[in-house]
Amino acid sequence: MTDLIWALVFVQVALGGFDTLYHHELTERLAWRPSQSRELRLHGVRNLAYAVMFAALGWSRPQGGLAIALMILMLGELAITLWDFVEEDRTRKLPASERVTHTLLTLNYGVVLALVLPLLGQWARLPTGLAAAFYGPWSWLCAVAAAGVVVFGVRDLAAARRVRRIAPAEAAPLAVALGARRAVLVTGGTGFIGRRLVEALVAAGHEVTVLTRSAASAAGLPAPIRIVTSLAQLADETRLDAIVNLAGEPISDGIWTGAKRRRILRSRLRVTRDVIKLIARLRERPDVLVSGSAIGWYGLQEDEALDETSAGRDCFSRTLCLRWERAATAAEALGVRVVRLRIGLVLAAEGGMLSRMLTPFEFGLGGPFGAGRHWMSWIHRDDLVRLIVHAMATPSMAGPVNGTAPAPVRNGAFAAALGRALNRPAILPAPAAPLRLALGDFAEELLLSGQRVLPAAAAAHGFRFAYPHLDEALAAIVGAPAGRVTPAAAPVQARLA
């Protein structure tokens, strides 16, 4: 084995590691997508094949029949990889970076085969056996690479079985409270929350219009829907019974630089003001506007239990929510009922905060943020969709409504519950100081501080949560047996009942 061959082998390792970590884990989160069960099985088999190859080439010289077996394994790995690429094209839309990476992987592996197979052919003429070999640093790198692909291979095979248990619940029952066919406009309908809401409304037989910046991003939404890229495309005689306003620049996908803060604020205000202009010119105005906000309205709080009558404390999140809600309330002067939905931490495997936590926790690398004492006011995404529908369907519901489950928990308890759901330890905290240093106010407001928010308005208007406690919600999301309700949660539920 020459240095050139080893260099090409580790180019393959680097490209494969990038593809796995960046695309499969961070971007696509394949291990939590029910549609990718076959792709995960292919990844698992391929990774275990790589492990055998790295161990055999890095620490031995296979001869005779063993060399022939390794040649067959390497050619089989090529066939599995090509099958995997076809499966990926068939089941999901690949980003350009993944397509480029796949091309480079295929070309580089072809060169590796062209150099290694003749060498194995020479070894195949020798008596069958496994001679020990050591190639210095290359052997140690092979050991590390083999261990890595074994870990991911075993995990992917396990995930392929797990994803069959985590298929989302039927969407139509989430919108049953809305009753007869209604015409609903959803802004932000291609987002994490909006996509599930649109799915529920369409499945229940409602007439749905989605506002999105790019029609291409709505390609995966269920039919039939109407897609617009500007509210100006809706004529004055358009019939809308309800509007749900969820659009805005994502708040948790980057450091809060001055430019980022301005984009976050401007995007929400612009869309909300456009919604008000649309309402003003419609010949028949909608009955209700459910406008998104967030529990950041209450600012950074400590242990005080907060409901819709509580005051807030100044911070960027509060300023954002105050101005966002103020823009939405302009619809009241036009005779439209306005519900200001203050959304908590929305839980689902497909996106949001939890989706970023699943991979490190699954590998036993999770734990609380900082001291883990701050409160996390969470809600299962399906419960949030049901609450939005409930708000549309309940004429007496107006003003601020907290979109949180009735049993908030401290961050340390959240980490422990997620560890239980995944059957993993959750004991590795993320220290507060580095988070503050790297992320500034973003870390302070979203990762290291929180609010203990209770859904008093939802309870007062008869809303019942399908997932009132965290263990139940996480068990449903990750496909694990439901755990025990935490003792701290039961009194909160009792007070709201």
Side-chain angles (χ1 to χ4, degrees):
M1 295 283 287
T2 66
D3 285 347
L4 173 60
I5 293 176
W6 284 123
L8 291 172
V9 167
F10 283 97
V11 167
Q12 193 76 4
V13 171
L15 289 170
F18 170 75
D19 193 34
T20 296
L21 295 176
Y22 181 74
H23 294 125
H24 300 170
E25 299 294 339
L26 297 179
T27 306
E28 300 293 319
R29 301 185 181 94
L30 299 181
W32 300 97
R33 291 172 60 172
S35 61
Q36 305 312 121
S37 176
R38 181 179 296 177
E39 182 181 350
L40 287 165
R41 289 197 299 273
L42 290 169
H43 289 175
V45 171
R46 183 180 64 191
N47 282 333
L48 294 180
Y50 266 129
V52 173
M53 290 162 46
F54 292 145
L57 293 175
W59 291 89
S60 70
R61 190 179 69 183
Q63 299 174 178
L66 294 179
I68 294 173
L70 185 56
M71 293 169 68
I72 293 172
L73 180 67
M74 294 183 73
L75 291 171
E77 194 283 332
L78 177 60
I80 291 170
T81 296
L82 295 176
W83 184 6
D84 176 44
F85 291 169
V86 171
E87 179 68 17
E88 290 172 342
D89 271 328
R90 186 183 70 83
T91 58
R92 60 187 175 93
K93 184 178 180 181
L94 273 64
S97 60
E98 190 168 2
R99 290 187 179 279
V100 171
T101 302
H102 287 177
T103 301
L104 295 175
L105 278 166
T106 304
L107 292 174
N108 189 73
Y109 191 67
V111 177
V112 170
L113 287 178
L115 295 174
V116 173
L117 290 183
L119 184 59
L120 289 174
Q122 296 175 19
W123 294 348
R125 300 189 186 99
L126 301 174
T128 297
L130 198 63
F134 181 67
Y135 300 98
W138 297 119
S139 290
W140 293 114
L141 286 171
C142 275
V144 172
V149 292
V150 164
V151 169
F152 280 96
V154 171
R155 196 293 298 271
D156 284 347
L157 291 175
R161 293 192 298 271
R162 177 186 61 207
V163 292
R164 299 171 188 164
R165 304 193 301 267
I166 60 174
E170 290 292 327
L174 303 180
V176 68
L178 203 52
R181 182 178 174 88
R182 307 288 294 276
V184 183
L185 167 66
V186 181
T187 75
T190 59
F192 169 51
I193 300 167
R195 187 173 291 270
R196 184 63 167 161
L197 174 63
V198 169
E199 182 183 356
L201 292 171
V202 171
H206 298 289
E207 179 185 332
V208 181
T209 301
V210 174
L211 171 69
T212 179
R213 288 176 294 182
S214 168
S217 66
L221 292 176
I225 57 172
R226 173 170 52 184
I227 298 170
V228 297
T229 56
S230 168
L231 295 181
Q233 295 169 0
L234 298 177
D236 294 356
E237 60 271 15
T238 301
R239 172 179 162 262
L240 292 175
D241 298 304
I243 299 176
V244 181
N245 178 31
L246 301 171
E249 174 92 5
I251 195 170
S252 60
D253 66 346
I255 300 174
W256 287 350
T257 62
K260 175 70 173 178
R261 291 175 193 244
R262 288 190 292 272
R263 287 197 303 272
I264 291 171
L265 180 59
R266 279 201 294 256
S267 64
R268 282 158 176 75
L269 295 182
R270 181 179 64 251
V271 175
T272 304
R273 288 166 180 164
D274 286 346
V275 167
I276 301 302
K277 291 176 184 176
L278 170 67
I279 293 172
R281 67 178 174 81
L282 289 176
R283 292 180 183 173
E284 184 177 346
R285 290 169 181 168
D287 299 322
V288 60
L289 166 63
V290 179
S291 192
S293 182
I295 58 173
W297 188 93
Y298 299 102
L300 305 183
Q301 304 277 358
E302 295 182 359
D303 291 341
E304 180 185 357
L306 307 169
D307 64 18
E308 289 83 355
T309 65
S310 301
R313 295 181 180 177
D314 287 340
C315 64
F316 170 68
S317 298
R318 175 169 167 77
T319 299
L320 169 67
C321 293
L322 279 170
R323 295 188 62 182
W324 195 8
E325 290 189 17
R326 189 179 301 127
T329 56
E332 294 175 343
L334 300 173
V336 175
R337 176 169 60 92
V338 177
V339 176
R340 291 170 276 141
L341 189 63
R342 295 173 181 169
I343 300 171
L345 302 170
V346 183
L347 304 186
E350 294 85 353
M353 174 206 66
L354 180 63
S355 68
R356 299 183 181 96
M357 299 175 69
L358 288 173
T359 295
F361 271 76
E362 188 180 15
F363 285 99
L365 303 176
F369 290 117
R373 296 285 301 166
H374 58 281
W375 287 91
M376 298 180 69
S377 297
W378 59 274
I379 186 170
H380 190 291
R381 184 175 61 165
D382 281 359
D383 269 343
L384 180 61
V385 169
R386 290 176 55 248
L387 181 57
I388 292 171
V389 171
H390 188 81
M392 286 192 281
T394 307
S396 61
M397 209 168 185
V401 173
N402 291 334
T404 61
V409 298
R410 294 188 188 274
N411 176 254
F414 187 98
L418 183 54
R420 285 195 301 274
L422 294 171
N423 196 26
R424 298 289 189 275
I427 57 176
L428 296 177
L435 290 173
R436 288 192 179 99
L437 181 63
L439 301 175
D441 288 347
F442 173 91
E444 190 63 43
E445 295 192 27
L446 297 188
L447 302 180
L448 300 171
S449 301
Q451 308 88 3
R452 186 183 179 188
V453 179
L454 304 179
H461 288 86
F463 182 77
R464 304 295 296 179
F465 287 86
Y467 301 99
H469 300 292
L470 183 61
D471 286 287
E472 301 167 332
L474 291 176
I477 290 168
V478 306
R484 220 171 25 91
V485 175
T486 54
V492 178
Q493 174 74 355
R495 287 199 299 271
L496 290 170

